[in-house]
Amino acid sequence: IAGKPAPMIDGRLDEPAWREAPVYQAFHKHAPRDGKPLPDGLRTGVRLLVTDDALVFGIRAWDDAPAAMRGSLARRDKVDVDQDFIGIWIDPVGHGRAAQFVRVNLAGVVSDGLHRADGDESDLGPDFPIDAAVTRLADGYSMEVRWPLSNLRFPYTGGKDWRLFEEEQLASGQR
């Protein structure tokens, strides 16, 4: 979005930049991994803006039971499966062996770190300067996440295409 103002990170997807960004909606259920499709009424749309210094995600999640959504205030890195959250994993090296991740729950609490595929282990030690905000809506929520490019570890030459994964976790285990 060179030459255009980046959106304010307030959890609302109402700036002009979001209206112009493509929407990605082909996501698959992550948990539980039972092979069943997503329940009707649950869907997620993700928009991605690339600014001069950051990746900015605009996420809209619909839920047919918004009163049952859970997300409580907690310390950093305390976003867990008993809460509704959005998770973003980025593999900026493109090898599929590790990823940097951020999870944001409905209260705006951030968990972040590094995930290694071998051993399926996460290290919550790194704290990336992620800006995130969430707005609850009558039929779900919207979220904005700003991830500075300076905090993504990638090779300047010889790297492969980046891999990006988004996960929505419902506390009820539906997705």
Side-chain angles (χ1 to χ4, degrees):
I1 63 171
K4 296 182 181 180
M8 180 182 353
I9 305 301
D10 58 6
R12 294 177 179 83
L13 305 178
D14 54 2
E15 290 97 346
W18 291 127
R19 287 190 291 276
E20 298 171 14
V23 180
Y24 303 95
Q25 297 181 5
F27 297 105
H28 303 279
K29 182 170 60 168
H30 176 74
R33 292 182 182 166
D34 57 9
K36 295 179 182 175
L38 287 173
D40 291 336
L42 300 176
R43 69 183 195 279
T44 305
V46 177
R47 297 172 190 262
L48 173 62
L49 301 174
V50 180
T51 67
D52 290 339
D53 63 349
L55 299 176
V56 185
F57 298 87
I59 300 163
R60 174 65 165 94
W62 288 265
D63 193 316
D64 58 357
M69 296 185 314
R70 294 185 283 178
S72 57
L73 288 175
R75 295 176 136 203
R76 186 180 189 109
D77 293 332
K78 296 297 181 186
V79 175
D80 209 345
V81 295
D82 64 339
Q83 304 163 45
D84 294 288
F85 66 82
I86 293 288
I88 302 167
W89 279 256
I90 299 176
D91 173 6
V93 177
H95 293 181
R97 294 189 299 257
Q100 293 174 241
F101 70 88
V102 61
R103 294 182 188 130
V104 181
N105 78 4
L106 294 181
V109 177
V110 172
S111 282
D112 55 354
L114 302 171
H115 183 81
R116 289 176 210 48
D118 59 340
D120 194 24
E121 297 175 337
S122 292
D123 175 2
L124 298 174
D127 286 334
F128 305 118
I130 303 295
D131 293 323
V134 181
T135 297
R136 285 185 179 240
L137 304 167
D139 59 352
Y141 57 95
S142 61
M143 176 185 297
E144 291 175 307
V145 178
R146 182 183 178 281
W147 196 326
L149 291 172
S150 63
N151 281 259
L152 291 170
R153 299 176 183 148
F154 58 91
Y156 291 101
T157 59
K160 296 184 178 184
D161 289 343
W162 287 19
R163 303 173 103 202
L164 178 80
F165 303 95
E166 180 268 344
E167 170 192 28
E168 182 173 356
Q169 173 70 47
L170 297 177
S172 61
Q174 293 293 312
R175 202 179 329 178

